[in-house]
Amino acid sequence: MPESGGGGVREVKSAARTVELLELLSARGDRPARLKELADELGVPRSSMYALLQTLISRGWVRTDITGSLYGIGIRALLAGTGYLDSDPRVRLVRPCLDEASDALGETIHLGRLDGADVAYLATRESHEYLRTISRVGRRLPAHACALGKALLAERPDGLLPQGPYRALTPRTHTTRASLAADLAEVRARGHSVDREEGVPGIVGFGFALRYDAPAQDAVSCSVPVARLTPEHEERIVAVMREIRAKIEATAPTAGGAVHWR
């Protein structure tokens, strides 16, 4: 019998396989996959995987090269993701505040949402001084390795932290539960998180949980290259981001005015 999903409803195997395939292709980024790779990774017969791929190609969720042997995520995934962002009232609320923080600080400002053990980036305002070649919107980082994630983990009991060891993105990433828990205690005392090159070498982040949910699901952060971070600039970043958080929380949709998704 198929395994049960949330609420005791049995899982639809074909739907689960489709989602797993799309997530796998999405995670590969610019590395297209061959049929054998996908079938082996998901543990399904090649014939079944081929039929699923052809179905998704015909609907735009998967794309293939001119030889028909390489597969990648399709444009429909982008359209669905854009629909998610456009339909979320809190993303719409926060975007102008990201602009305000970016203008005031001249640095990169992010909005992220906790998604399991990761943080998904929902909006970004890039610094004119430090431009990434790839947008972070729609991408994920492990929560333990970034300012956004640590700000949100600190809103939860340490007993919910995974046992570890945790994946290291840089030599400074927390890899043990004890080390992360000690950092989160400092986050709670300080009121915001600090990521000193834990997720990206050369970048320091300051994260602030948005407490319009309990526990908080969203956070904003400011990222700055180490070379530009002076004590005075750090002090100003914290002051401006605290003001931005207060403004967002004061104007967030209330329980009676917005759909509360789970």
Side-chain angles (χ1 to χ4, degrees), residues 6-249:
V9 178
R10 68 185 183 89
E11 183 176 81
V12 179
K13 189 173 181 179
S14 59
R17 181 175 294 172
T18 301
V19 172
E20 290 169 358
L21 172 60
L22 293 173
E23 290 180 342
L24 175 58
L25 290 173
S26 177
R28 291 180 65 92
D30 62 353
R31 298 179 296 112
R34 296 186 180 275
L35 174 63
K36 182 180 185 303
E37 292 177 279
L38 297 172
D40 290 349
E41 180 73 19
L42 297 183
V44 300
R46 291 192 205 181
S47 58
S48 299
M49 178 57 66
Y50 180 77
L52 178 55
L53 285 166
Q54 296 308 307
T55 300
L56 293 173
I57 288 169
S58 70
R59 286 164 172 76
W61 287 91
V62 171
R63 59 180 172 173
T64 187
D65 70 330
I66 58 174
T67 70
S69 61
L70 295 175
Y71 302 94
I73 196 71
I75 196 170
R76 287 287 175 179
L78 170 63
L79 300 179
T82 301
Y84 175 88
L85 295 176
D86 290 345
S87 68
D88 193 301
R90 287 168 176 172
V91 174
R92 293 198 300 272
L93 166 77
V94 173
R95 279 173 174 156
C97 295
L98 301 186
D99 292 334
E100 182 179 341
S102 182
D103 290 342
L105 296 170
E107 304 296 353
T108 299
I109 313 297
H110 301 291
L111 167 67
R113 180 165 293 164
L114 197 63
D115 181 25
D118 298 329
V119 166
Y121 285 75
L122 304 182
T124 291
R125 296 296 179 265
E126 296 284 359
S127 166
H128 295 300
E129 302 292 331
Y130 175 76
L131 292 175
R132 290 184 179 86
T133 57
I134 299 176
S135 172
R136 184 164 283 184
V137 174
R139 299 178 185 276
R140 298 150 65 99
L141 275 181
H144 69 273
C146 63
L148 289 167
K150 292 197 298 179
L152 292 168
L153 292 178
E155 297 290 306
R156 292 156 171 77
D158 287 346
L160 297 180
L161 294 174
Q163 289 296 326
Y166 307 144
R167 179 163 66 100
L169 301 187
T170 78
R172 294 177 177 266
T173 308
H174 291 291
T175 57
T176 68
R177 183 176 183 178
S179 174
L180 179 59
D183 191 340
L184 296 182
E186 295 181 10
V187 174
R188 297 180 188 109
R190 191 193 299 121
H192 65 273
S193 66
V194 182
D195 152 24
R196 298 192 186 276
E197 301 184 82
E198 296 163 36
V200 180
I203 300 296
V204 178
F206 302 88
F208 300 77
L210 300 175
R211 299 185 178 108
Y212 43 56
D213 290 313
Q217 300 295 319
D218 299 346
V220 290
S221 72
C222 175
S223 297
V224 55
V226 172
R228 283 213 308 277
L229 186 62
T230 64
E232 295 76 19
H233 193 31
E234 180 169 337
E235 184 177 339
R236 175 159 170 72
I237 287 171
V238 172
V240 169
M241 294 302 293
R242 281 178 174 165
E243 291 178 5
I244 292 296
R245 171 170 62 184
K247 178 179 291 189
I248 294 170
E249 291 176 344

